[in-house]
Amino acid sequence: KSCVAPLGTAVTTKQLELLWKISPEPIIIMDGDIAGLRAANKLIDILLPLIKFDKTARFCFLPEGNDPDDFVNEHGSEAFKDLISKSISLSECIWNRETRNVVFDSPERISALNNQLQLLIGKISDKNLRSEYFNYFQKVKKDFFSVITHESRPSFKDYKTSESKKFDRNRAREF
């Protein structure tokens, strides 16, 4: 496996092409702070038009306040290897970015997510890979909203009226 830490510099298309000569799926290590997340978000947008089935990237986020040297010095190389082994795919990184701190409590917000994912998927030049990203996000959305629906929303049966609470048109007109 190959990994790289940009160390505060923006990763360029040229650097990605060089990385892909070393590994088809380099692990890019980012700081876990706001600046690291912003850099990862920029990198996602750079990566999308370039990725192919044999050229992608994974992301590994360090704990906040650590750079790679600090982490290794404090926790050791085995902990660093363990951290790298928990790297996330580009698709998972995209999903996290688009759903982080967003409440999906309305059709409009869910539609906004769908539109954003479609926009991002549309940047992928490889037609087959674009199709697979679409399928991936469809599955993730189904699982995600299934969990949200079951955990935080009453079931449909809770909305049904009982025999004793039949709808009364005359009473409804009073309001």
Side-chain angles (χ1 to χ4, degrees), residues 89-107:
S89 67
L90 175 59
S91 55
E92 189 175 348
C93 203
I94 292 167
W95 177 259
N96 291 344
R97 176 178 88 171
E98 300 306 323
T99 59
R100 184 181 296 115
N101 299 324
V102 180
V103 176
F104 297 100
D105 61 353
S106 69

Side-chain angles (χ1 to χ4, degrees), residues 56-122:
T56 190
R58 296 184 68 80
F59 288 84
C60 179
F61 293 92
L62 291 166
E64 194 166 346
N66 284 159
D67 64 26
D69 282 343
D70 292 338
F71 187 88
V72 172
N73 289 335
E74 187 175 328
H75 303 285
S77 62
E78 286 304 312
F80 190 65
K81 288 177 187 174
D82 185 53
L83 183 70
I84 290 170
S85 74
K86 295 174 183 165
S87 65
I88 61 173
S89 67
L90 175 59
S91 55
E92 189 175 348
C93 203
I94 292 167
W95 177 259
N96 291 344
R97 176 178 88 171
E98 300 306 323
T99 59
R100 184 181 296 115
N101 299 324
V102 180
V103 176
F104 297 100
D105 61 353
S106 69
E108 294 83 3
R109 289 181 177 186
I110 295 169
S111 180
L113 173 64
N114 289 336
N115 290 341
Q116 181 62 19
L117 291 172
Q118 284 291 351
L119 179 75
L120 293 170
I121 292 167

Side-chain angles (χ1 to χ4, degrees), residues 7 14 19-20 47-48 66 71-72 78 94 107 114 118 122 125 130 141 148 153 159 164:
L7 301 175
K14 194 173 193 174
L19 282 173
W20 284 322
L47 280 163
L48 282 173
N66 284 159
F71 187 88
V72 172
E78 286 304 312
I94 292 167
N114 289 336
Q118 284 291 351
S125 59
R130 189 170 50 242
K141 283 189 306 185
I148 287 176
R153 295 182 186 163
Y159 291 109
S164 63

Side-chain angles (χ1 to χ4, degrees), residues 43-56:
L43 186 52
I44 288 170
D45 295 327
I46 292 169
L47 280 163
L48 282 173
L50 304 173
I51 60 172
K52 307 253 186 265
F53 75 94
D54 61 347
K55 289 182 180 180
T56 190

Side-chain angles (χ1 to χ4, degrees), residues 125-142:
S125 59
D126 182 302
K127 180 182 167 186
N128 290 331
L129 187 57
R130 189 170 50 242
S131 176
E132 291 304 323
Y133 264 77
F134 176 82
N135 294 338
Y136 171 82
F137 286 127
Q138 289 298 100
K139 180 187 180 319
V140 172
K141 283 189 306 185
K142 181 179 177 187

